[in-house]
């Protein structure tokens, strides 16, 4: 990207971890402990877990393990992550970006549950959007598009008129499967071919049009 790009939308759907909040340190601590408990290589585990709900990651990493065990493990992991907010900070530009969305249709669409998303957004000093699609809201984890489609429905906007902000392969795939355009945020995103990639949210300027169209100015 060598010049300013402009995307138009009627609603924005925002992932949390890696997109608004840098929680990598906490995620690494909790998942590497899980990997050790289960005799897995921590580096290989970290290649899988970003963007998905925990039980879905476990199903990929331990195929054949009963799903009820994955769900039980996931509940414990969520509690661990909620209690561990050390080092959780905003992605550069996130606070200003969210402030620029005041009064515009937007939603948080995260694989975290209510408790974890509340804890991490608070730790990063970020305001929660009024519309939130969390783990409790869906029956399927990203890369399934259910969360993004529910976010669009809650906002009353056609999926084709939504732009997703995501950092992970699973999240970018979910946005695409929902029929939405995707802005990739951060170093992980570029490997998964979103429509546009930004280093962080300082590269995004939001312009609200009188016609209800939101213009996203993406600068290099």
């Amino acid at each position: 990207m060598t010049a300013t790009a402009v995307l138009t939308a009627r609603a924005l759907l925002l992932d949390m971890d890696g997109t608004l909040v840098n929680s990598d340190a906490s995620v690494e601590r909790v998942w590497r402990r899980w990997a050790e408990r289960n005799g897995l290589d921590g580096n290989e585990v970290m290649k899988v877990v970003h963007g998905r709900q925990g039980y879905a990651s476990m199903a990929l990493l331990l195929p054949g393990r009963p799903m009820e065990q994955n769900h039980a493990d996931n509940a414990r992991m969520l509690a661990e992550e909620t209690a561990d907010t050390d080092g959780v900070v905003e992605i550069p530009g996130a606070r200003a970006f969210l402030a620029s969305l005041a009064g515009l249709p937007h939603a948080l669409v995260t694989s975290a549950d209510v408790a974890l998303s509340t804890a991490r957004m608070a730790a990063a000093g970020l305001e929660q959007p009024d519309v939130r699609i969390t783990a409790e809201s869906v029956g399927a984890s990203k890369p399934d598009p259910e969360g993004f489609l529910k976010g669009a429905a809650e906002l009353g906007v056609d999926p084709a008129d939504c732009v997703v902000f995501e950092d992970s392969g699973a999240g970018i795939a979910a946005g695409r499967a929902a029929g939405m355009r995707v802005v990739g945020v951060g170093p992980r995103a570029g490997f998964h071919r979103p429509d546009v990639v930004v280093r962080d949210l300082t590269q995004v300027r939001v312009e609200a049009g009188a016609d209800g169209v939101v213009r996203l100015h993406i600068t290099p």
Side-chain angles (χ1 to χ4, degrees):
M1 188 171 62
T2 57
T4 299
V6 179
L7 295 178
T8 59
R10 291 192 176 273
L12 306 183
L13 302 176
L14 316 173
D15 176 51
M16 181 183 71
D17 292 302
T19 301
L20 298 173
V21 170
N22 182 345
S23 56
D24 282 1
S26 173
V27 172
E28 287 258 348
R29 286 191 291 269
V30 171
W31 276 99
R32 285 185 181 277
R33 286 198 299 269
W34 181 87
E36 187 174 353
R37 289 196 299 270
N38 288 278
L40 298 175
D41 183 310
N43 292 330
E44 294 304 311
V45 167
M46 295 313 302
K47 293 176 183 177
V48 172
V49 300
H50 292 290
R52 293 180 173 85
Q53 291 192 44
Y55 74 85
S57 296
M58 293 170 193
L60 290 174
L61 291 161
L62 294 172
R65 189 167 85 152
M67 191 56 78
E68 57 266 28
Q69 189 174 345
N70 293 336
H71 281 287
D73 242 7
N74 186 45
R76 288 190 290 271
M77 296 278 284
L78 285 168
E80 284 184 52
E81 290 183 288
T82 301
D84 182 359
T85 57
D86 188 30
V88 173
V89 296
E90 69 165 321
I91 294 292
R95 190 176 291 109
F97 175 68
L98 287 170
S100 74
L101 297 181
L104 300 177
H106 67 288
L108 188 73
V109 181
T110 176
S111 294
D113 64 3
V114 169
L116 180 56
S117 58
T118 300
R120 284 187 174 160
M121 291 289 280
L126 300 178
E127 292 289 331
Q128 293 255 28
D130 291 336
V131 178
R132 296 183 289 277
I133 306 298
T134 63
E136 295 94 338
S137 310
V138 298
S141 170
K142 299 172 186 177
D144 191 282
E146 181 185 0
F148 287 125
L149 292 172
K150 282 199 169 182
E154 287 273 344
L155 296 170
V157 176
D158 190 276
D161 291 326
C162 295
V163 168
V164 165
F165 282 72
E166 263 286 359
D167 73 300
S168 71
I172 291 167
R176 278 214 202 90
M180 302 172 182
R181 288 152 295 148
V182 182
V183 175
V185 181
R188 283 189 290 268
F191 295 106
H192 304 286
R193 302 183 66 183
D195 295 276
V196 179
V197 182
V198 295
R199 178 185 63 255
D200 57 44
L201 295 170
T202 64
Q203 293 178 257
V204 183
R205 180 173 66 84
V206 177
E207 177 190 4
D211 55 359
V213 172
V214 179
R215 291 171 176 80
L216 301 170
H217 298 264
I218 314 291
T219 57

